[in-house]
Structures are given as C-alpha cells and as structure tokens.
Amino acid sequence: MTNTMTFDEHGSSVERLSFAMFQEQLRHVARFVTAAAPANPLDAVLKAIHNNPAMSQARLLTRILAAYIGRQVSFRSAEVSAFDKEHLALVVALMDSHDAGTLPATEWQRAADEAEAAQHDIGG
C-alpha cells in the first residue's frame, strides 16, 4: 500500500493513494454509517451511476469498479470524503461483496464496462 504526493497544474500538492489505501480510508470514514446492504451491490452501483452519470460520486464509483477489475486508476486522498452517507454505504457493500467473492469476475467486468460506457455517453 502506497501513497504519493504529486502536484496539480497550479502547483498545489495532491496526495495520491493506492486502491488498497483508498479502500482502507473509505472503511474508516464509513465505520459509523449504518445502512442495509443491497442484495446485489454491483446492480445498485450501476443504478446509481445510470441515475446521474455526470455526478462526481458516479464518476468515482466508475473508477472504483475499474480498479476492481485491474485497470490502472488513481485516487486522491480528498476523494474519500466525496461520498454522501447513501453512496458511502453502497461503496462499503460493494467492497464487502468483492472481499466475500460472492459474484464472479465476469460480473465485475460487465459492471465496470457498463459504468464506463455510461460515463462515455455523457462525454466523460
């Protein structure tokens, strides 16, 4: 697990996190969020993305799905706080589902591809 410090186009420092560190920080932030987990977190995430693909939370969910299937994705430390309680609970359910291995890799691939297609449809 690594994090690095980079600089944006304005010379401001930006802390970049590995996906593992990003997940760890998400779990830390979500430790007091209580919400019922959806039956299928992948479907719930896709629904959230399709409901408003231009929303920053949807873009971040898409990147999380891409990271789960091994695509190169970077995360900024500040993005940990980008989720509202509803989406944070959804992300935790997604992480738990992945950790439990309840869905096959083909489903994760399908979800990541579908999420990215939704982003491209809006020009993202």
Side-chain angles (χ1 to χ4, degrees):
M1 290 192 275
T2 62
N3 63 334
T4 58
M5 192 66 71
T6 59
F7 296 90
D8 66 14
E9 65 275 4
H10 305 292
S12 299
S13 63
V14 178
E15 186 178 12
R16 301 266 179 205
L17 301 175
S18 68
F19 184 45
M21 285 192 77
F22 185 70
Q23 290 177 88
E24 183 179 311
Q25 288 192 13
L26 282 171
R27 285 193 186 278
H28 179 75
V29 169
R31 68 191 181 280
F32 299 117
V33 174
T34 56
N40 184 329
L42 276 180
D43 287 345
V45 164
L46 286 173
K47 182 178 178 186
I49 292 167
H50 284 290
N51 283 345
N52 193 351
M55 185 172 59
S56 63
Q57 292 178 5
R59 292 178 185 271
L60 190 50
L61 287 170
T62 299
R63 289 183 21 237
I64 289 170
L65 289 174
Y68 270 125
I69 63 164
R71 294 184 182 148
Q72 292 297 320
V73 182
S74 66
F75 297 93
R76 294 183 309 275
S77 183
E79 290 175 315
V80 170
S81 63
F83 290 112
D84 59 21
K85 288 181 182 181
E86 176 186 338
H87 285 89
L88 189 56
L90 186 56
V91 169
V92 170
L94 188 71
M95 291 188 296
D96 289 345
S97 176
H98 186 269
D99 292 351
T102 56
L103 295 169
T106 55
E107 285 299 302
W108 289 90
Q109 181 72 47
R110 176 195 59 80
D113 291 345
E114 189 175 323
E116 288 180 349
Q119 295 296 310
H120 286 110
D121 287 347
I122 60 156

